[in-house]
Amino acid sequence: MRRSRAKIRWKQPLLTLAALTLLLAFDGSGILRVGLGCAVLHECGHALAYRLLWRRWPEIEVSPFGLCLRLRGLPMPPAQELALAAAGPLANLLACAAVLLFMRGAGYSYGGYWFACCNLLVGGSNLLPLPGLDGWHIAGALHGIWRT
C-alpha cells in the first residue's frame, strides 16, 4: 500500500520566512506564537477532514498571509464542502473546550486562557461569511443543500 503525505507549497518563501522570523523575534508577549499554533491547529482540522473524505492528504499552501488548503478545481457536493469548511472552526472550538476543561481540574493559568481565547478568535473569525473564509463556504454549502 502506498502511503500518501501532505504536500506543503510555499508561496513567496523568502518573504514568508523573513516575516515569520521578524514577527517571532519581536513577540515579547507570546500571543503571536499562540495564534500561529491555533492557526496550524485550524488547518489540521481541515486536513484531517480532507483525509477522511478523499482518502489522501491535501496540499497546504503557506504564504505571507497564512495557511490554507489548496482546493481549486476540486468538485465536491455541498455536504462535503460543509464538512470540510466546518472542520477548521470545529478543531478550534474543541481545543478551546479541552483546555478549559483541563484547567478546571488542574488549575487556571494565564497561558491556558491565552490559548482558549486565541482558539475562539481564530475559529470565530473564520466563521464570518466573507469570501475566502470558512463561513463563506459554509453559507454556500448550506444554500446548496437547501436548494436541492
Side-chain angles (χ1 to χ4, degrees):
M1 174 188 277
R2 187 174 161 243
R3 296 180 71 167
S4 73
R5 294 184 182 174
K7 295 176 188 114
I8 298 177
R9 181 174 185 256
W10 288 84
K11 194 171 189 179
Q12 300 175 336
L14 291 178
L15 179 61
T16 302
L17 292 175
L20 270 176
T21 302
L22 285 174
L23 289 171
L24 290 173
F26 295 107
D27 182 29
S29 67
I31 189 68
L32 179 64
R33 284 171 269 178
V34 174
L36 283 172
C38 295
V40 168
L41 182 66
H42 179 92
E43 291 306 318
C44 285
H46 288 307
L48 183 59
Y50 187 97
R51 171 74 179 179
L52 292 171
L53 289 169
W54 285 281
R55 307 277 190 249
R56 59 186 168 100
W57 290 107
E59 184 175 324
I60 297 171
E61 183 175 281
V62 180
S63 75
F65 302 108
L67 305 165
C68 68
L69 263 63
R70 295 188 39 88
L71 300 173
R72 291 185 184 100
L74 179 66
M76 65 181 98
Q80 283 183 336
E81 184 177 6
L82 178 63
L84 187 61
L90 180 63
N92 290 121
L93 180 63
L94 290 175
C96 175
V99 78
L100 290 175
L101 284 173
F102 176 78
M103 286 194 313
R104 189 171 186 190
Y108 294 99
S109 71
Y110 185 70
Y113 278 122
W114 269 115
F115 184 74
C117 289
C118 281
N119 270 298
L120 284 179
L121 285 171
V122 169
S125 62
N126 270 282
L127 286 174
L128 293 172
L130 299 173
L133 296 180
D134 296 329
W136 182 264
H137 295 285
I138 290 171
L142 289 174
H143 182 316
I145 290 170
W146 287 329
R147 247 185 36 212
T148 56

